[in-house]
Structures are given as C-alpha cells and as structure tokens.
Amino acid sequence: MSRKGAILRAAAVLAAAGTLIGLAAAPAAAKPHHDHGNHHDAEPIVIAHRGASGYLPEHTLEAYALAVDLGADVIEPDLVLTADGELLARHEPVLDETTDVAEHPEFADRKTTKDIDGNPVTGFFADDFTLAELKTLRAEERLPDIRTESAEHDGEFQLVTYDEVLDYVGTLDEKIVTYPEMKHPSYYEEQGLSIEDALADLLEERKLDRKRSPVWIQSFEYQSLLNIAERVDNRIGLNIDGQGPISNADLNEYADTLDTVSLNKNRIFPRAADGSISEPTDIVERAHRRGLDVHVWTFRAENTFLPANLREGTDPAAWGDIEAEFALFYDLGVDAVFSDFPDLAVAARDDC
C-alpha cells in the first residue's frame, strides 16, 4: 500500500467512526504595530494549506483534523461570507469546483454571474445561500484528476464555518494556530458588506483579538489588512503573488504596518524559462532585516506543481522530489511554509 493510500485509508476509518466529524535600503525606523510571534532563527512553522488538502477535500473539518494529526502547527481556513453573514471555510465565493451544489436542483435558479476583481464569474455564490442551505451541500475534491484518492471522499463531508473550526481547535490538547484568509474583501465591499467586520466581530466575541492570540490574519488586499488592524491586534500578513522583485520602499511600508509577508515561492526562487528552479533572490534577507516574517506558498508533492528539475517521471499526478524543494527554502531561513501535505513539510524540516 502506498504511503498516500495508507494515510487516506486511515482518515476514512476515522471519519467513518465519527472521530473527525465530532471534533538594500536601511530598514524602516518605525516599529511594526504588532509584535512578531516567530524568531528568524527558530525552526520553520508548518501551515496546513486548506487543511491536509493533498489527502482529503479541502476546507473540511476532516482535512483540518488530519492536518493536526500529521503534525501541522497551523491550519489555514480561507473565509467567504454567506447570505446571513456567517464566515464559511471555502477557497472562493464560488462553490462550483469544491461542492456538489450543481447536483441540487432546488438551487438551480441561484446560478448567476458576478464580478470578482474585475472579472465576470458565473456560478453558485456562497453569499446567495444561507448557512442552513449550505449545510445541505457536501464537499468535493477540487483537483479530481490529480488527487483521485481524495476524490473518493466526494460527498462525505459537510461544509464548515470558521466558528466551527475554532470550536474544534478549542477541543485539542495542543496549541494549534488558525490562519484565516479573508477572500476578496473588495468583492464584498462592493455589495455593502465587510468581511473584515465579520471576522473582527467573531474574534472579539471569542476574545481571540489579542496580540498573543493563536489566530493570525491574512489577505491579498493590503487595504483590507489595514482596515481590520484598526479593530484587532492579531498578527497580520500580506499575501503577494507572482514573480519579480519587491522594492525596499514597499518592504519598509509593510514593516510599519504588518507582521508578515507571505510570498509565492517564485518570489524567492524564480522559475527559469524551462520551468526549473533558479538562484534565490534576496527577499528573505531584506524582509528579515526589517523585522518581517516570511511565509511561503504553496508546497505540493505532485509533479504538475513542482519545478521542472524536481519532477520524477512524466505523470503529472506522481510525486516528485518535494523534499529537495522544502530543503531549499528551509536552508534559506523562511519562517513558515504552506503545504497541502503537512506531514511531508514536517519530515523535511526534521531532516534539515
């Protein structure tokens, strides 16, 4: 039996038993608004990207619980809003790719087209459903052609709210940080809604809005982070996609206002023209000089996601040399990694 298969089968047994379900310029002179929770000489933190999403359908309680079992330090729920203002753990407001919503004829009239970040998107949107309605849906694997074993669990798991994720974490004997990402804040703002206020309200209610709280907050929208920082004192990080340099001026501004820059891997080790990994940039060193933590995303084991020179064979779903990729980033001193396979991230960290 493959290692992947063994893990998936163990997860299925646990789920069936109900155990998972029940559960170069000078640094900026000004100090950051928040204290930093990590020291740059400490061992890197492993963040379970959408849970153990390499093994089970993402953003389910089962995927989060499996991530904890596999040694993750942090679990990451992406957050969207429902029609009744609840924070739902989903990667996007659109439900089509990760749920069975299209198989529910009672919701057929909810399909619509909306504008997200300047792009028209057609589908079923979480903000057109109440939480009670969303609870009738079931999660599905987002990458069924790549993650066939995870897809075998389609239809088994409920959608969950961030409130439920916090309830689950609260039952654990160990301290697990949650790292919610506010998805598309501008999309909600255009509708007269505020995902920042919804998250801040929940954290304040649970007394998790404190400086040392085991909740970190992230977004791709800088202004959204500035907005929520006016209400809560949690650690806050900006997600930066793409490839290319980040200026010292930008890093200085982030150091004044944030705790973390969370970077696409290509910002640190750019991809060459042939898709192979190339020499690292100096972004980690420059960010650290300014007191910023550096988190990196996303580490996935399958060939289709790896640099060309770390792939093994030609099957896009086969696992390549992800251990070598982890080692490159760990050796460079990053503070945390996001991975769909938290156990592989932990094992590679232990080998460094």
Side-chain angles (χ1 to χ4, degrees):
M1 181 185 297
S2 70
R3 188 164 182 271
K4 278 200 297 184
I7 290 170
L8 284 166
R9 283 165 178 74
V13 169
L14 287 170
T19 56
L20 290 179
I21 294 171
L23 303 168
K31 284 185 66 177
H33 177 64
H34 303 285
D35 283 349
H36 298 284
N38 191 31
H39 299 285
H40 304 311
D41 56 353
E43 71 174 13
I45 291 164
V46 171
I47 303 166
H49 184 242
R50 311 178 197 172
S53 57
Y55 299 118
L56 290 174
E58 66 189 33
H59 292 312
T60 59
L61 196 58
E62 291 75 15
Y64 298 136
L66 180 57
V68 173
D69 287 345
L70 295 178
D73 306 299
V74 180
I75 56 176
E76 185 224 18
D78 295 327
L79 303 182
V80 302
L81 285 174
T82 71
D84 43 353
E86 297 287 341
L87 290 163
L88 183 74
R90 286 289 96 190
H91 178 55
E92 293 290 342
V94 185
L95 302 169
D96 301 52
E97 289 188 343
T98 60
T99 76
D100 63 355
V101 63
E103 299 170 22
H104 288 254
E106 68 273 25
F107 298 138
D109 62 348
R110 306 285 178 92
K111 191 169 189 176
T112 188
T113 300
K114 299 187 180 185
D115 186 274
I116 298 181
D117 299 339
N119 301 306
V121 178
T122 299
F124 297 91
F125 289 77
D127 42 291
D128 291 330
F129 293 78
T130 66
L131 179 59
E133 291 172 327
L134 291 163
K135 283 293 187 179
T136 69
L137 306 183
R138 293 297 179 267
E140 294 189 346
E141 170 56 47
R142 187 174 58 89
L143 302 168
D145 295 336
I146 298 292
R147 294 175 176 169
T148 56
E149 291 175 292
S150 176
E152 292 175 4
H153 297 276
D154 284 359
E156 294 181 15
F157 307 138
Q158 273 195 344
L159 311 192
V160 296
T161 65
Y162 184 42
D163 214 14
E164 291 171 313
V165 174
L166 291 173
D167 284 343
Y168 159 68
V169 171
T171 68
L172 301 174
D173 293 331
E174 58 199 301
K175 178 181 175 181
I176 298 294
V177 174
T178 63
Y179 199 176
E181 180 188 334
M182 301 179 294
K183 302 299 293 191
H184 304 288
S186 294
Y187 164 74
Y188 296 110
E189 185 178 6
E190 290 169 1
Q191 301 179 65
L193 304 172
S194 172
I195 195 168
E196 298 94 340
D197 283 345
L199 180 54
D201 287 346
L202 178 59
L203 296 180
E204 288 172 357
E205 178 185 337
R206 286 179 166 266
K207 295 181 171 55
L208 291 172
D209 57 334
R210 316 296 169 81
K211 190 168 295 187
R212 298 296 182 183
S213 166
V215 176
W216 308 340
I217 299 171
Q218 57 176 321
S219 175
F220 281 89
E221 296 189 25
Y222 182 48
Q223 185 58 52
S224 175
L225 295 171
L226 298 183
N227 292 343
I228 199 167
E230 294 179 0
R231 291 199 51 189
V232 303
D233 203 26
N234 303 69
R235 293 184 65 205
I236 290 177
L238 177 65
N239 299 331
I240 304 176
D241 202 354
Q243 180 167 306
I246 300 172
S247 72
N248 287 320
D250 282 345
L251 287 177
N252 288 343
E253 181 176 357
Y254 300 152
D256 283 343
T257 53
L258 306 172
D259 301 285
T260 302
V261 285
S262 183
L263 306 178
N264 183 308
K265 292 183 298 184
N266 296 345
R267 293 278 183 176
I268 298 175
F269 282 92
R271 298 281 182 100
D274 64 355
S276 62
I277 203 164
S278 58
E279 290 298 310
T281 68
D282 63 352
I283 182 62
V284 175
E285 178 187 354
R286 289 191 293 123
H288 281 172
R289 281 207 307 266
R290 290 160 173 79
L292 288 163
D293 285 350
V294 178
H295 299 176
V296 191
W297 45 272
T298 302
F299 291 83
R300 298 180 169 108
E302 298 94 350
N303 279 330
T304 192
F305 301 113
L306 286 167
N309 50 332
L310 295 181
R311 297 171 191 159
E312 297 183 356
T314 59
D315 180 357
W319 287 12
D321 194 358
I322 190 174
E323 294 85 0
E325 187 179 39
F326 278 126
L328 288 170
F329 286 84
Y330 287 156
D331 288 349
L332 208 60
V334 302
D335 301 289
V337 297
F338 289 80
S339 181
D340 293 6
F341 301 89
D343 55 327
L344 302 185
V346 171
R349 180 182 67 187
D350 292 345
D351 287 342
C352 287

